[in-house]
Each structure stands twice: as C-alpha cells, then as structure tokens.
Amino acid sequence: MSLILNASLVVQLVMLGLALLSVLSWTLIISKLGTLRSARRHSESFEQNFWGGTDLNRLYEDARQQGETVGMERIFQSGFAEFLKQRGRSGAELSDIMDGARRAMRAAAQRELDRLDSHTSFLATVGSVSPYIGLFGTVWGIMHAFIGLGNAGQATLSTVAPGIAEALVATAIGLFAAIPAVVAYNRFAADVDRLASRFDTFMEEFSNILQRLATR
C-alpha cells in the first residue's frame, strides 16, 4: 500500500484504471460462469426429455407455456413451430418444409450462441491491453524516479530503488488484471464451441426426425 500511495499521480491513475478493469472482468467472469453452467445443465436436461420418448407435441407445448426458452429447447421450439407452420400450408413440398425448419433452427442457434458469447470480447481486450497499460505506468514511474534522482544530484541505490519499485507495481497490477481475463476468455470460448457442436448435432438429428414425420 505504501508503494501505491507514494507513487506519482500518473502511476496512481494507471493503477486505479487497472484495478477497475480487474473488477469489471471478474464480475463478467462470475456472471458468465453461471450462464454457461446453466446452459449446459439445461441442454442436458432437455436432451434427456427429448430422447426419453416424450411426445414432440407435448415437448413443444411445454416449451410454449414456459414463455422464454433457452439453449437447445429454444432451437427445438423454433424448428418445430416452423415445421408445423410449413406443414399446414396446402401443397407444401417436403424440401420447403425442411428448409424452413432448418433455417428457423439455425437462426435460433445463432441467437443463443450470440447470447452465450456476449461481452467475452471484453475479457480478450483486458487480457491484451492491461500489460501494456501497466508497462506505461512503469515507464512513467521510472522516468519520474530518474528525474527526481537527477535533481537530487546523488545516485545511490537507496534513493532510486523506491521509485522504481513503485513503478513496477503498475506492471504487477496489469498482469493481475490480464492473466485471469485471458484464462477465462479461452475457457469460455472452448465452452461455447462445445455447446455449438452439441447444437449442430441436435439440429441434424432433429431434422432427420422431422423429415420422417413429414413423409407420414
């Protein structure tokens, strides 16, 4: 704390900005962890119901009654609703029915992935920018320390070391803000990619089921 309080104003402002970025990134990390965990659990629960032999019409009605659905259930609801709509049209071709259902599912999947991936770019920005902001504070602090040393007219380790130590704290805080942000961004990107693969697999399997229903 003494190193922070004794630093120059510019270095203190850099430290304050980095601390604010760290708080914001940790807030986003905690929120995104809960969102992705909820999406995984919801998808697993829906897949169990879907492949457990539950009637599709009943699943669709349950989804409609819930109002706002998420994840795989939203994809199912969008695809099945479009399927029923296209199938109810007189003279509808099988290709038109399936194309409409697939487009609806792809749009729902993309909206869901956008929601899951929202604001993660902020973590990437914090991870890439924070070390440079901290380095700027360090350079400024060292420059300030050497200017003060030149005015003193006597160069000793005891006179220059405190100023350099105060400046290096800015780099340490920059790394403290950057490392968790980078780790979290990579983790979230991998989680979203895995969910995207599950969504794609489900859409293909559900499309096959809808095609068999349409030919009955």
Side-chain angles (χ1 to χ4, degrees):
M1 289 302 300
S2 63
L3 293 175
I4 296 174
L5 294 176
N6 293 328
S8 64
L9 179 61
V10 174
V11 178
Q12 287 180 339
L13 291 175
V14 169
M15 294 176 182
L16 179 62
L18 290 171
L20 180 60
L21 288 177
S22 180
V23 170
L24 292 175
S25 63
W26 273 107
T27 301
L28 179 59
I29 288 169
I30 294 172
S31 174
K32 192 62 65 175
L33 280 173
T35 300
L36 290 171
R37 186 180 295 112
S38 176
R40 287 194 300 269
R41 290 178 179 175
H42 195 279
S43 295
E44 291 170 359
S45 175
F46 177 77
E47 279 188 308
Q48 289 178 357
N49 292 332
F50 183 83
W51 297 112
T54 306
D55 182 68
L56 295 181
N57 290 294
R58 181 178 178 183
L59 279 176
Y60 177 65
E61 291 300 325
D62 290 342
R64 289 183 60 186
Q65 291 176 4
Q66 290 180 14
E68 184 69 20
T69 55
V70 296
M72 203 171 289
E73 190 173 13
R74 173 179 290 183
I75 298 172
F76 163 78
Q77 182 183 6
S78 299
F80 199 66
E82 186 64 22
F83 171 79
L84 295 176
K85 178 182 176 181
Q86 295 291 337
R87 194 182 185 188
R89 295 172 56 188
S90 59
E93 298 289 339
L94 176 61
S95 59
D96 295 333
I97 296 173
M98 295 309 302
D99 287 343
R102 289 192 184 99
R103 284 196 300 269
M105 287 190 289
R106 281 196 296 267
Q110 188 58 54
R111 286 193 296 269
E112 186 65 15
L113 291 174
D114 289 342
R115 182 184 70 85
L116 294 174
D117 198 40
S118 62
H119 306 303
T120 54
S121 59
F122 174 77
L123 295 176
T125 302
V126 172
S128 60
V129 170
S130 293
Y132 295 104
I133 297 176
L135 183 61
F136 168 76
T138 297
V139 171
W140 186 277
I142 292 175
M143 181 181 66
H144 187 267
F146 277 110
I147 290 175
L149 183 63
N151 294 332
Q154 184 178 2
T156 62
L157 183 61
S158 60
T159 55
V160 74
I164 295 177
E166 294 164 5
L168 290 174
V169 173
T171 297
I173 297 177
L175 294 175
F176 178 79
I179 293 173
V182 172
V183 173
Y185 175 78
N186 292 331
R187 164 71 184 277
F188 296 154
D191 288 345
V192 172
D193 287 342
R194 281 193 292 268
L195 284 171
S197 298
R198 293 181 65 177
F199 291 166
D200 288 338
T201 302
F202 173 77
M203 285 189 290
E204 289 298 323
E205 293 172 338
F206 187 41
S207 295
N208 293 332
I209 294 174
L210 292 179
Q211 188 166 359
R212 290 195 295 269
L213 288 175
T215 54
R216 289 181 182 178

